[in-house]
Amino acid sequence: MISCGISPSPVSFVSLLGACSHAGLVDEGRALFQAMRKEYGIIPSVEHYASMEAAKFIDDMRIEPGPKVWGSLLGSSRIHCNVEFAERASTKLFQLEPANAGNYVLLADTYAEAGKWDEVKRVKKLLESRGLQKVPGRSWIEVKRQIHSFVSTDEFNPQIEQLHALLCELSSEMKEKGYVPQIKVVLYDLGEEEKERIVLGHSEKLALAFGLINTSNAEPIRITKNLRLCEDCHSFTKFISKFARKEILVRDVNRFHHFRDGVCSCGDYW
């Protein structure tokens, strides 16, 4: 744009900073943020600050941080298991968005990964006391011009036993090739075997298994998910794309994921 004489707009910088955030390009993102103000005279908005997502950065903001900024910090804290930042961000979010159950779940996720099960229970009780519920995960897949829907507790699909059997078989085979189930996503103090059983039944895995059974080898699999892909489903799908030689596209609540040859287009940062 610059070489063509076109001055970047605020929207341009939202895209640039978002790309740097997803790719982990911290120094490049900071340089662009500074250039936005100093070289182009663009005053940062909440969307720009949200992409920078660091606690000290939030302290230095010239505008009052909103849900997008605190939500970005909470999401990052979940990824990096930073309990201190997660607590700080969630405290603000509970005030700004008291009815957003997703914020409570992210905080509970962070506590669970840190092994703080008493805190997980406390957050769950807080969620219940406010009459809020976690949105159940649901995935859709289109096969032969028909939409098929899956939830983790779905026992009515005529192929459900076949799907579970295939997933168990694939999981065992992939473990021999390096796949490690990410059972930390299960917010219950259970044994490893039971946690593995739970994550293996996630709706996106059921949709994926359905696609493997009902599509041709050359046909890509396209799945839509109403929530963010969990770490285990993301890792599982990468392995499938490599060892089943399948092109898989998943649209979750955050972005598109394009899996091919064991690699995802998001660079494992979503």
Side-chain angles (χ1 to χ4, degrees), residues 116-257:
K116 295 179 176 291
W117 296 108
D118 288 341
E119 294 300 318
V120 172
K121 293 177 183 178
R122 181 182 64 81
V123 175
K124 285 185 176 181
K125 288 181 179 179
L126 182 61
L127 192 66
E128 293 172 0
S129 69
R130 296 187 176 181
L132 304 175
Q133 290 184 336
K134 178 183 177 181
V135 177
R138 182 177 291 274
S139 297
W140 297 265
I141 181 172
E142 182 177 358
V143 175
K144 298 176 183 178
R145 297 187 177 183
Q146 285 190 333
I147 302 296
H148 302 267
S149 175
F150 295 89
V151 293
S152 60
T153 57
D154 189 359
E155 297 296 335
F156 297 102
N157 188 287
Q159 290 183 299
I160 196 66
E161 292 185 5
Q162 188 179 3
L163 299 181
H164 282 303
L166 175 59
L167 288 171
C168 289
E169 181 183 347
L170 290 172
S171 179
S172 297
E173 291 178 358
M174 292 193 302
K175 283 179 182 178
E176 297 176 359
K177 298 175 180 178
Y179 164 66
V180 179
Q182 301 295 310
I183 57 176
K184 64 183 180 182
V185 302
V186 180
L187 299 182
Y188 300 97
D189 193 6
L190 302 171
E192 290 189 7
E193 185 175 336
E194 182 64 15
K195 287 186 176 182
E196 283 191 32
R197 187 191 66 78
I198 291 174
V199 297
L200 202 58
H202 281 185
S203 65
E204 50 265 59
K205 289 193 183 76
L206 293 173
L208 177 57
F210 185 87
L212 291 171
I213 293 173
N214 295 285
T215 61
S216 64
N217 291 335
E219 187 179 357
I221 292 175
R222 295 180 174 87
I223 298 171
T224 303
K225 174 75 187 288
N226 67 333
L227 302 175
R228 175 185 180 272
L229 274 176
C230 78
E231 289 91 335
D232 185 68
C233 287
H234 194 269
S235 174
F236 188 90
T237 308
K238 284 200 304 180
F239 271 87
I240 292 295
S241 70
K242 180 177 181 179
F243 296 110
R245 297 181 180 179
K246 267 287 193 180
E247 183 179 2
I248 304 167
L249 297 96
V250 181
R251 177 66 169 105
D252 73 1
V253 72
N254 285 346
R255 61 183 50 82
F256 280 99
H257 298 265

Side-chain angles (χ1 to χ4, degrees), residues 1 6-18 36 42 48:
M1 291 175 68
I6 302 174
S7 182
S9 68
V11 175
S12 303
F13 279 101
V14 169
S15 299
L16 287 167
L17 293 172
M36 178 177 66
I42 297 174
H48 300 111

Side-chain angles (χ1 to χ4, degrees), residues 86-118:
E87 290 176 335
R88 180 180 176 188
S90 61
T91 298
K92 292 290 185 178
L93 287 167
F94 293 166
Q95 297 171 357
L96 296 168
E97 299 179 324
N100 187 341
N103 295 327
Y104 298 82
V105 174
L106 278 174
L107 178 60
D109 284 348
T110 309
Y111 281 138
E113 187 170 351
K116 295 179 176 291
W117 296 108
D118 288 341

